Amino acid sequence: MALKRVTMQQIADACGLSRNTVSKVFNGRGNVPTATRDIVLSKAQELGYYQYTANSVAASGHSANIAVLTQHKLLSHNFGAYFITSFTDQISRSGYTMQMYEVTPEELASKTLPSLFDLEQITGILGIELFDRDYIEMVCSLGKPTVFVDGFARAGKTPIECDFVSMENMASETAIVRQIISAGAKKLGFVGDYEHCNGFYERWFAFRAVLEGAGLPYNPDLCILKEDSILYRSIEWLRGQLDAMPEMPDAFVCANDFLAIQLMGALRQKGLSVPEDVLIAGFDGSPESAIVNPSLTTARIPSTDIGRLAAAMLIERIKTPDFPYRWTYVKTSPVWGDSTSRDSVGRPS
């Protein structure tokens, strides 16, 4: 029995919204409140708009299956939510269905595929939020058309037998750090595990390169570089990291917006103000970056467009398996907020 396709109108009816609003969420066009977007994406997942179980897809008899391998629920953060909706929309228009698999820590450690993963029923593979080098190389060795979104730290220096797409990190980070220095900062710290993923690594690399070019020191004692973990979600833990620093930097450059906003909370606990006492910047262009007080300097990632591009790359790889592998970076754009602007220094044009 074929799967019944869930439509945007059904999602709209279930949410009590117009189809136009739902369409804006999935196409990434127009302004939709964050709360409304979350409701739509949650209902889409509940109704199975883009997340089909392995058993239901296999039962449909559909042979054009795309497997998505991930370590995390993609709706838990803005990039993943916008990316996966546009990716699924594109592959669905081309006649493919999608199966999503969350790779467990045990499967990651043993370099094995999820238990319900049937390689013979898979046409292509998308890897996202997978940052383990050995696991990525194992997936690439399966002989299936594969596209990875981001990857392990220093992935750009490693030959991998697959296509790769990522947000561009270094140009925007360079512009942000230069602007912070132009605002008078001389002592800068970085926040985030730069070994966590290639995106974080490239942002940290750009941070260091700008400091060197400006003749400023890189001091790890003014950074928070602990291994990526749930600890970063604790403002109290971040406060402890700040307390342990020999002195307070003039500015912090954070690996993403979440870390920047958490750090703002920790700085407030210390009685410090942003930007009066400390400048701070993030990366992601999350909706929260615009509504937090002060508004956050960040870099906007075109998540929806990256989703469409990844789908196009994977479909082309399926059709032309011998085509040379491509590594594609999609331009990001600095967004200047109040968190790096002092009264005496205007924002760049």
Side-chain angles (χ1 to χ4, degrees), residues 66-69 83-84 87 124-128 146-149 310 314:
I66 302 298
V68 176
L69 294 172
F83 171 91
I84 201 63
F87 175 84
I125 299 172
L126 173 79
I128 180 172
T146 301
V147 173
F148 271 96
V149 180
L314 184 54

Side-chain angles (χ1 to χ4, degrees), residues 14-250:
C15 295
L17 300 168
S18 68
R19 186 189 182 285
N20 185 50
T21 298
V22 173
S23 177
K24 287 180 180 179
V25 171
F26 286 103
N27 292 325
R29 299 187 178 94
N31 295 320
V32 178
T34 300
T36 301
R37 177 179 61 82
D38 291 345
I39 290 171
V40 170
L41 294 175
S42 178
K43 183 59 66 174
Q45 182 174 7
E46 177 186 329
L47 296 177
Y49 178 69
Y50 63 82
Q51 185 169 328
Y52 300 98
T53 65
N55 290 337
S56 65
V57 173
S60 73
H62 199 301
S63 60
N65 300 321
I66 302 298
V68 176
L69 294 172
T70 181
Q71 285 180 255
H72 306 289
K73 292 184 182 298
L74 298 179
L75 294 184
S76 64
H77 56 90
N78 291 291
F79 175 78
Y82 283 117
F83 171 91
I84 201 63
T85 51
S86 62
F87 175 84
T88 306
D89 180 64
Q90 289 297 107
I91 65 168
S92 297
R93 292 173 187 272
S94 298
Y96 295 90
T97 55
M98 190 174 83
Q99 303 168 232
M100 188 177 294
Y101 301 90
E102 288 188 38
V103 180
T104 66
E106 294 74 22
E107 290 163 345
L108 196 71
S110 61
K111 308 300 178 285
T112 54
L113 294 167
S115 57
L116 293 177
F117 192 102
D118 185 350
L119 190 60
E120 293 184 358
Q121 297 296 317
I122 298 301
T123 306
I125 299 172
L126 173 79
I128 180 172
E129 292 290 316
L130 280 172
F131 303 132
D132 184 280
R133 174 174 178 168
D134 292 339
Y135 199 89
I136 287 176
E137 291 182 343
M138 181 275 291
V139 173
C140 291
S141 72
L142 296 174
K144 294 290 183 178
T146 301
V147 173
F148 271 96
V149 180
D150 206 347
F152 54 87
R154 302 175 183 83
K157 301 179 181 180
T158 306
I160 302 175
E161 299 296 306
C162 67
D163 292 308
F164 176 94
V165 62
S166 174
M167 71 292 295
E168 197 287 321
N169 299 287
M170 296 185 65
S172 286
E173 193 71 280
T174 295
I176 288 171
V177 179
R178 285 176 175 170
Q179 190 262 343
I180 289 174
I181 293 173
S182 75
K186 302 297 184 184
K187 296 175 292 185
L188 285 75
F190 188 87
V191 178
D193 175 11
Y194 62 82
E195 296 287 357
H196 173 61
C197 63
N198 195 56
F200 279 21
Y201 174 78
E202 291 181 343
R203 294 165 200 175
W204 172 81
F205 187 90
F207 168 80
R208 290 204 59 178
V210 175
L211 290 186
E212 182 178 353
L216 298 176
Y218 167 70
N219 186 352
D221 291 338
L222 302 183
C223 301
I224 303 176
L225 306 173
K226 303 290 186 182
E227 182 178 355
D228 188 76
S229 71
I230 197 171
L231 289 174
Y232 282 95
R233 296 183 178 274
S234 168
I235 290 178
E236 289 71 23
W237 179 81
L238 286 170
R239 164 70 188 274
Q241 298 297 303
L242 294 174
D243 289 342
M245 291 181 178
E247 59 180 330
M248 190 56 48
D250 300 322

Side-chain angles (χ1 to χ4, degrees), residues 293-313:
N293 186 24
S295 59
L296 183 64
T297 289
T298 182
R300 181 177 293 113
I301 298 174
S303 309
T304 300
D305 295 323
I306 294 176
R308 294 193 187 103
L309 177 60
M313 290 174 65

